Amino acid sequence: MTTPTAAPPTTARLDQLVGDVREAVGRGLPPDTTAYLVGERLAAHLGAPDLLTAGQCEGDPDHYRQHVLHAERDGSFSVVALVWLPGQQTSIHDHVSWCVTGVHQGTESERRYRLVPDGTTARLVATEDVVNHQGDVCGFAPPGDIHRVRNACSSVAISIHIYGADIARLGSSVRRVYDLPADAI
């Protein structure tokens, strides 16, 4: 569960990132290509101490916290900071749009899944375990974007997520939560 927050104050670096993303998204390319270009732009800002305000780095003791940093007026993209305290994780889920994530601080662990038929039902099979460190960027576009993310380290982790959707309006990037038999993380 995430806690959406109101539109935050901005920083000059965040404004620069938004401009960089706006240029990449504005090309009107396919989702996977757009995600790649957005990832290139995001990487240059990760770890910069002037990207986020102190309030945008605050977590929540009960669950990871979502800070919507920017939602483009036309709904074409949003920039979100997720703050993870040690041990916090998402449910297994997929997304409403393409997504690019970059670790701004700390380390995140991700388990990726694929959905496979299992008689009259289905189950999830783990396909890859990934550990992302500060500065690492990854991107994807549905379908095939089922995963669970968690902070497996002993300090706060912060990741920047850029979605091809208006997260301020939707409240979340999650399209579907999977409550099926799955390989454990």
Side-chain angles (χ1 to χ4, degrees):
M1 181 68 178
T2 63
T3 305
T5 57
T10 189
T11 66
R13 182 174 286 275
L14 179 60
D15 290 343
Q16 181 182 359
L17 172 60
V18 167
D20 293 346
V21 172
R22 185 178 291 128
E23 182 276 325
V25 171
R27 293 183 183 190
L29 298 170
D32 55 343
T33 306
T34 298
Y36 177 81
L37 293 173
V38 168
E40 286 184 327
R41 277 120 181 110
L42 174 59
H45 299 280
L46 295 172
D50 58 341
L51 179 61
L52 303 175
T53 66
Q56 294 162 347
C57 297
E58 292 178 1
D60 183 303
D62 297 324
H63 45 78
Y64 69 95
R65 184 169 182 190
Q66 173 179 281
H67 298 274
V68 177
L69 305 175
H70 176 82
E72 192 73 350
R73 284 194 169 123
D74 66 2
S76 60
F77 72 92
S78 299
V79 181
V80 176
L82 295 183
V83 181
W84 313 78
L85 299 182
Q88 292 179 335
Q89 68 181 4
T90 67
S91 56
I92 300 172
H93 65 281
D94 62 9
H95 298 87
V96 297
S97 70
W98 60 263
C99 175
V100 173
T101 65
V103 178
H104 181 62
Q105 174 184 315
T107 303
E108 290 180 352
S109 297
E110 176 187 19
R111 176 163 278 185
R112 298 175 184 169
Y113 296 91
R114 69 181 167 87
L115 189 63
V116 296
D118 190 12
T120 59
T121 62
R123 65 185 178 89
L124 295 167
V125 173
T127 59
E128 186 176 18
D129 287 316
V130 179
V131 177
N132 294 304
H133 303 277
Q134 182 177 340
D136 289 346
V137 174
C138 64
F140 51 81
D145 61 322
I146 303 169
H147 68 162
R148 169 180 276 165
V149 180
R150 72 185 191 122
N151 178 357
C153 65
S154 60
S155 61
V156 172
I158 301 173
S159 51
I160 306 299
H161 297 233
I162 304 174
Y163 302 105
D166 185 346
I167 302 306
R169 182 180 61 78
L170 296 174
S172 171
S173 69
V174 173
R175 179 174 69 103
R176 178 180 14 203
V177 171
Y178 292 84
D179 187 20
L180 295 170
D183 300 335
I185 189 168

